Amino acid sequence: YSMNLPFPIAVLISGRGSNLKSLLREQGSYQVRWVISDNHEAPGLLFAAEYGVPTFVLSPNAFPTKKEW
């Protein structure tokens, strides 16, 4: 990582994504590089798509226990 480049961050969301939307609009010293959600229907995933940010969904239902999730 170079101090001259925006710092890459991942954002965790589970719902509307209002904080994500603010982060996407205000990028400068950082750059949203990944968005991770536990909800495949989270509206915030659409904000990420609008900005071309890759999204990942890790549903708790895909794991045998909450601890393994």
Side-chain angles (χ1 to χ4, degrees), residues 10 15 19-20 24 27 32 39 41 44 49 57-58 60 62 69:
N19 290 328
L20 170 64
L24 289 167
Q27 295 181 85
V32 178
N39 176 3
E41 295 180 350
V57 177
L58 296 173
W69 173 63

Side-chain angles (χ1 to χ4, degrees), residues 26-64:
E26 301 299 324
Q27 295 181 85
S29 61
Y30 63 88
Q31 180 183 27
V32 178
R33 298 282 298 272
W34 310 274
V35 173
I36 304 165
S37 179
D38 62 348
N39 176 3
H40 72 280
E41 295 180 350
L45 294 171
L46 297 175
F47 297 140
E50 288 174 14
Y51 282 81
V53 177
T55 60
F56 303 91
V57 177
L58 296 173
S59 174
N61 297 333
F63 296 84

